[in-house]
Amino acid sequence: RRKPAEARAALNRAQRLRQQLADEHPGELRHRYAPGESLIALGMVQNYAGDAAAAQKSIEAGCQILEELIRDNPRATRIEMNLAWAYQQLAAVHVTSGQPAAALGCFNKGLRIQERLAREYPAVSEFLTTCAESYRVLGDSLARAGSSDQAATAYGKAIDLLKTGAATVPHEPAYREALATSQAALAGWHYQRGRAGQSRRDWDAAAESFTAALALFREAFGGEHPKVAKSLRRLAGAEAG
């Protein structure tokens, strides 16, 4: 059972202990980083509990710590990744508090960091797949908000990134799985447009994208995986449309 009050109390205690260690060991990066991590985690719990104002304050304080560490340690890519993730958690807080423009600004701020890391470290698959996943999530959010053209653009960016990664490192399974997921997301977007009576082309595009996703899921997981079965069902629906 979820207990946000107990979680907040535990995270507050952890934050105080980690801050004490940071004060006692100012020269150690891991101790300086830990309070920021705790503040961000606390903000996520506060947001879940419905206290968006406190969540924003906690996550912004955590981001400030990480930003300072990156200024002092410009090659600390792991901290940069976590800062990008923290900006996107802050975006979720702005969504909760009804500020879509601020949410999009924070999300894009994190996305820019992810794009740069993917560009500067092409051999690190995690950087590229994380960036592509952010584009896919952005596409999902835009599709739900009714911004169809922008959603399609975001899905396309995710797919293009992953195709580039797969072409560069063809034996990296993470690219195939992430590419299949993004292809399925784009197919789902076309499928929903087809159901809404947009055009026959959407049904055809959905079937094409589901077919591509199906082949990638089979390659990544084998023929009996649930994702393969789901893609088969949705492909059948698109072809019947």
Side-chain angles (χ1 to χ4, degrees):
R1 190 177 61 173
R2 296 176 180 177
K3 299 180 179 180
E6 288 85 341
R8 277 182 289 175
L11 285 166
N12 273 314
R13 289 195 298 272
Q15 162 61 18
R16 288 193 294 271
L17 289 171
R18 286 181 159 188
Q19 187 60 58
Q20 181 180 340
L21 283 170
D23 294 339
E24 293 172 355
H25 305 278
E28 293 193 28
L29 184 61
R30 64 189 178 96
H31 288 314
R32 292 177 61 197
Y33 165 76
E37 182 183 47
S38 291
L39 282 165
I40 294 161
L42 175 61
M44 292 172 63
V45 172
Q46 289 168 327
N47 191 42
Y48 173 79
D51 193 347
Q56 180 176 342
K57 182 177 179 181
S58 295
I59 296 176
E60 285 178 344
C63 287
Q64 184 177 355
I65 291 173
L66 269 57
E67 289 164 353
E68 291 171 357
L69 289 176
I70 291 166
R71 282 195 292 271
D72 295 341
N73 304 272
R75 307 299 290 180
T77 56
R78 178 58 53 188
I79 296 177
E80 286 191 276
M81 279 288 287
N82 289 340
L83 177 60
W85 172 78
Y87 284 142
Q88 291 172 352
Q89 300 311 306
L90 185 57
V93 174
H94 287 309
V95 169
T96 300
S97 56
Q99 302 178 71
L104 186 59
C106 286
F107 191 92
N108 284 331
K109 196 172 182 180
L111 187 54
R112 286 194 293 272
I113 295 173
Q114 293 168 343
E115 286 179 322
R116 180 176 54 77
L117 289 172
R119 184 173 60 250
E120 293 180 358
Y121 300 91
V124 182
S125 62
E126 182 185 0
F127 292 163
L128 192 148
T129 54
T130 300
C131 183
E133 172 68 6
S134 290
Y135 270 117
R136 187 188 65 77
V137 170
L138 178 60
D140 289 345
S141 298
L142 290 167
R144 286 194 297 270
S147 302
S148 293
D149 292 341
Q150 291 174 294
T153 298
Y155 289 138
K157 283 182 175 292
I159 289 168
D160 288 345
L161 276 170
L162 293 164
K163 283 182 174 178
T164 299
T168 304
V169 189
H171 301 298
E172 173 54 67
Y175 292 142
R176 292 195 300 273
E177 180 181 350
L179 180 55
T181 301
S182 292
Q183 288 278 13
L186 178 60
W189 175 78
H190 281 298
Y191 181 80
Q192 292 303 324
R193 282 171 58 88
R195 290 187 63 185
Q198 296 290 332
S199 74
R200 177 67 229 181
R201 285 180 298 179
D202 282 303
W203 288 114
D204 294 340
E208 181 181 348
S209 292
F210 278 134
T211 299
L214 177 61
L216 289 162
F217 279 136
R218 278 176 167 158
E219 186 179 354
F221 299 113
E224 303 300 322
H225 195 274
K227 289 185 178 181
V228 173
K230 183 177 181 180
S231 292
L232 279 169
R233 289 195 303 271
R234 300 188 77 180
L235 173 59
E239 289 179 334

